[in-house]
Amino acid sequence: MAATIRTLCCSVLRHSNRQLSTTCRVQAGEKWRKEHGLARSGTEYGPLTDLPDWSFADGRPAPPLKGMLRRKQEREVLARRIVMLSSEVDRGMETWREKQEEVKRAEEHKKSLLLKPKGKLLRKKNP
């Protein structure tokens, strides 16, 4: 059944005058915004997105809208994740430094256990 519908749709599209585009759409100005350090679209962030749409006549701010609350929560989650990942990197760097120091100490300890030059060889190295 599904195969017959698919072939029927394909044959109808082939014989129709309408063109069907399967390419992705390009948003106007996206390249320019990226080049200038702005968001991909005008609705991702900025004053039109972040500021309230209206306020009371006496100056009180409007209650936050659902979209504003959602974006605020998403930013908080992202900030927490950044802090967590940053602390993980810091801990990883610290353990790496400790391992490097341990390897260096072990190498120095190995060198201290080696035989020391004596007699004529010792006198040749000192002057």
Side-chain angles (χ1 to χ4, degrees), residues 25-105:
R25 66 173 199 215
V26 177
Q27 291 186 346
E30 180 177 344
K31 182 179 176 186
W32 181 89
R33 285 191 203 94
K34 284 183 179 179
E35 289 173 356
H36 288 83
L38 301 172
R40 289 180 302 142
S41 69
T43 59
E44 287 184 15
Y45 59 85
L48 293 177
T49 306
D50 297 334
L51 296 178
D53 293 337
W54 57 277
S55 63
F56 290 102
D58 60 0
R60 291 179 294 146
L65 301 172
K66 289 179 185 178
M68 293 174 73
L69 294 175
R70 179 184 45 81
R71 284 187 295 277
K72 182 179 178 183
Q73 184 181 14
E74 288 172 357
R75 289 182 187 137
E76 287 175 359
V77 168
L78 180 63
R80 284 190 186 101
R81 182 166 166 79
I82 289 170
V83 168
M84 180 194 64
L85 293 175
S86 177
S87 65
E88 283 182 18
V89 168
D90 291 341
R91 281 194 307 265
M93 290 297 291
E94 187 62 34
T95 55
W96 178 79
R97 278 191 211 106
E98 289 172 0
K99 286 181 182 179
Q100 293 297 318
E101 289 173 4
E102 183 63 34
V103 166
K104 190 175 181 180
R105 273 183 273 174

